[in-house]
């Protein structure tokens, strides 16, 4: 059944995708420490900024992130369109003694939310990329924010999302070849990979939230450059991002004032050289000439499109192109000027591309046993997730800024 919006998909499921089931203060504190690291060190938004701030969170799901913000002293307004999540949120706030910080819980999505109030911070993580066109939610955020207020979003980035799409394509091929149900196929193929990382949600939630999610597709993924350009055009400045959208190597006099347009040009140039890094989930900065950078970017874009097509038709015309493109990109990485922390990082992405090349080759041979053997044991496959989830913080520019 086609879904109109992401929350409609979630409403039809038996589980909430990010429910952590926190029962003790220790569990919440451990999660809050992770969030503190993200917001303080990576997004340059220290918890002190949240003290007595008016915070609007869209799509809080079961409310774990909202609990952390409330614990930092924020007054929370939550807009959650999935009615099944509301009892969980209210129970969480009561259990941890934070009900006084829950100013309002509204049954609304981004486009349906109405308020005359203005907010210091807006947070929308994990779903905002599905609200399209992007200018719609950026405009809503701009209207709801106070001048110099911040909007924090996380989204699927187009290049960083390659391996996520590849897992969906492998899963689709596995279901077709084995005839097994979705969950059984996923565990056969991906349980060792899933168990290799720390997580607060169940395997079943990941299946629903990623592998079976109709919105985890290329047509919804956002290009970082296009997103920054759209934000700039609607009156936002880029405050921070993870991975970083600013060139950390640039040097100029501290008194030099760059125009907003110049800052955007520098960001765009940096992002163009970061696409292989996004795909690989590690520093693989394209340091060569612009022609080489554009050629690799184009090859990644074509690869992402073809692997996305395999989700619907795992043995169709795009499969041989995926196999060929993986081999081509693997060789290009070996011969391109790349800035990495260590030669081992380049060797790792080469090994990963080779691993996926062998897996998709096995799909082409219709060899289910070989596919499962590779996904269950190949370290390069198990240890690679790419960088699908990007965080971006934008600041509403003051008048005249």
């Amino acid at each position: 059944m086609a879904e109109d919006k992401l929350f409609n998909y979630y409403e039809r499921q038996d589980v909430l995708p990010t429910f952590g089931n926190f029962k003790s203060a220790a569990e919440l504190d451990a999660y809050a420490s992770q969030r503190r690291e993200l917001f303080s060190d990576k997004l340059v938004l220290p918890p002190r900024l949240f003290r007595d701030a008016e915070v609007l969170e869209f799509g809080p799901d079961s409310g774990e992130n909202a609990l952390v913000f409330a614990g930092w002293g924020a007054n929370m307004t939550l807009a959650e369109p999935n009615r099944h999540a509301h009892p969980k949120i209210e129970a969480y706030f009561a259990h941890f003694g934070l009900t006084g910080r829950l100013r309002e819980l509204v049954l609304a999505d981004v486009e349906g939310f109405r308020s005359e109030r203005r907010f210091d911070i807006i947070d929308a993580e994990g779903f905002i990329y599905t609200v399209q066109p992007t200018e719609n939610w950026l405009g809503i955020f701009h209207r709801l924010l106070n001048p110099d207020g911040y909007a924090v979003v996380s989204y699927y980035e187009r290049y960083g999302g390659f391996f996520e799409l590849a897992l969906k394509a492998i899963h689709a091929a596995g279901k077709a070849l084995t005839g097994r149900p979705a969950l059984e196929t996923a565990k056969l193929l991906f349980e060792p990979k899933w168990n290799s990382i720390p997580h607060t949600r169940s395997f079943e939630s990941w299946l629903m939230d990623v592998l079976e999610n109709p919105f985890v597709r290329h047509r919804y993924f956002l290009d970082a450059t296009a997103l920054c350009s759209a934000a700039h055009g609607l009156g936002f400045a880029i405050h921070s991002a993870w991975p970083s959208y600013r060139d950390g190597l640039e040097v100029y006099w501290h008194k030099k004032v760059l125009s907003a347009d110049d800052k955007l040009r520098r960001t765009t140039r940096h992002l163009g050289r970061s696409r292989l890094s996004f795909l690989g989930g590690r520093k693989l900065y394209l340091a060569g000439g612009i022609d080489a950078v554009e050629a690799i970017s184009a090859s990644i874009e074509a690869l992402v499109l073809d692997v996305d097509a395999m989700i619907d038709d795992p043995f169709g015309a795009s499969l041989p192109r995926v196999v060929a493109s993986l081999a081509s990109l693997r060789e290009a990485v070996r011969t391109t000027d790349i800035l990495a922390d260590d030669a081992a990082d380049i060797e790792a992405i080469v090994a990963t591309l080779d691993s996926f090349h062998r897996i998709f080759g096995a799909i082409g041979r219709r060899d289910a046993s070989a596919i499962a053997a590779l996904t269950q044991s190949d370290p390069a496959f198990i240890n690679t997730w790419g960088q699908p989830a990007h965080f971006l913080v934008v600041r509403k520019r003051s008048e005249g800024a």
Side-chain angles (χ1 to χ4, degrees):
M1 177 180 177
E3 307 288 351
D4 178 48
K5 294 185 177 182
L6 183 60
F7 76 85
N8 296 134
Y9 170 71
Y10 287 145
E11 279 188 323
R12 295 175 61 83
Q13 311 305 315
D14 293 328
V15 293
L16 295 171
T18 62
F19 183 46
N21 198 25
F22 296 155
K23 293 184 174 66
S24 69
E27 289 175 306
L28 178 57
D29 288 346
Y31 184 66
S33 293
Q34 296 175 6
R35 297 286 288 179
R36 181 183 294 270
E37 170 75 15
L38 169 63
F39 275 75
S40 291
D41 292 359
K42 296 180 176 69
L43 302 182
V44 201
L45 290 175
R48 187 184 182 103
L49 283 176
F50 287 78
R51 191 176 303 166
D52 293 322
E54 294 298 324
V55 176
L56 168 61
E57 183 178 2
F58 285 111
D61 195 49
S62 46
E64 284 82 356
N65 292 343
L67 284 176
V68 173
F69 294 147
W72 291 346
N75 299 313
M76 299 302 302
T77 297
L78 305 181
E80 172 52 61
N82 184 351
R83 66 183 67 252
H84 302 312
H86 284 219
K88 299 281 190 186
I89 293 171
E90 291 169 334
Y92 254 158
F93 272 77
H95 180 74
F96 288 103
L98 291 168
T99 300
R101 290 291 179 181
L102 183 55
R103 187 181 292 279
E104 192 175 6
L105 176 57
V106 182
L107 187 68
D109 64 357
V110 172
E111 294 169 301
F113 180 77
R114 298 289 182 269
S115 178
E116 296 303 315
R117 296 164 51 212
R118 296 296 177 263
F119 299 88
D120 302 307
I121 299 170
I122 293 176
D123 185 81
E125 298 181 36
F127 74 93
I128 199 67
Y129 69 99
T130 68
V131 181
Q132 297 189 356
T134 298
E135 288 77 6
N136 282 6
W137 57 264
L138 282 170
I140 292 168
F141 288 7
H142 194 272
R143 176 177 57 82
L144 290 169
L145 279 170
N146 288 315
D148 289 320
Y150 298 97
V152 183
V153 299
S154 68
Y155 68 98
Y156 269 108
E157 202 279 330
R158 182 170 295 168
Y159 296 91
F162 166 71
F163 288 118
E164 209 90 324
L165 295 176
L167 295 181
K168 288 170 71 79
I170 295 167
H171 186 237
K175 288 189 294 183
L177 289 172
T178 66
R180 297 182 179 185
L183 178 59
E184 187 178 342
T185 303
K187 287 192 171 183
L188 172 70
L189 294 172
F190 305 131
E191 196 161 36
K193 184 176 181 67
W194 177 252
N195 290 335
S196 71
I197 59 170
H199 39 70
T200 59
R201 59 177 172 169
S202 67
F203 188 93
E204 289 78 6
S205 290
W206 178 64
L207 171 71
M208 180 198 73
D209 204 29
V210 177
L211 297 180
E212 295 285 282
N213 190 337
F215 291 89
V216 180
R217 297 298 299 267
H218 176 272
R219 63 181 173 271
Y220 294 107
F221 290 2
L222 303 181
D223 174 74
T225 300
L227 175 56
C228 290
S229 297
H232 169 79
L234 287 169
F236 287 104
I238 307 303
H239 175 75
S240 61
W242 190 259
S244 178
Y245 288 2
R246 287 184 176 175
D247 181 1
L249 297 178
E250 67 179 4
V251 178
Y252 56 85
W253 189 33
H254 72 279
K255 291 185 179 181
K256 180 178 180 179
V257 178
L258 301 177
S259 69
D261 289 342
D262 197 15
K263 289 177 182 177
L264 179 65
R265 281 191 291 271
R266 289 169 180 247
T267 294
T268 298
R269 191 164 56 238
H270 170 68
L271 289 172
R273 294 183 178 275
S274 299
R275 285 170 180 164
L276 185 63
S277 301
F278 296 166
L279 182 145
R282 63 185 74 221
K283 186 197 293 183
L284 298 164
Y285 198 70
L286 298 172
I290 191 62
D291 289 344
V293 171
E294 290 178 349
I296 286 186
S297 291
S299 69
I300 294 173
E301 173 70 12
L303 177 59
V304 172
L305 280 167
D306 282 331
V307 82
D308 181 80
M310 281 187 62
I311 297 168
D312 299 319
D313 186 6
F315 309 110
S318 65
L319 173 57
R321 294 198 298 268
V322 168
V323 174
S325 293
L326 284 165
S328 176
L329 184 59
R330 179 187 61 197
E331 297 311 308
V333 168
R334 286 176 168 145
T335 58
T336 299
D337 292 329
I338 294 174
L339 176 63
D341 286 332
D342 192 278
D345 290 320
I346 298 176
E347 294 168 5
I349 189 61
V350 169
T352 298
L353 292 170
D354 184 65
S355 174
F356 277 81
H357 178 259
R358 286 183 284 125
I359 291 168
F360 280 95
I363 292 174
R365 299 191 303 273
R366 313 295 202 274
D367 191 340
S369 296
I371 297 167
L374 286 166
T375 61
Q376 290 173 3
S377 63
D378 190 327
F381 173 82
I382 290 171
N383 295 328
T384 297
W385 294 87
Q387 191 72 38
H390 284 214
F391 280 81
L392 175 66
V393 181
V394 294
R395 176 179 53 80
K396 180 177 176 178
R397 289 197 296 263
S398 301
E399 291 297 328

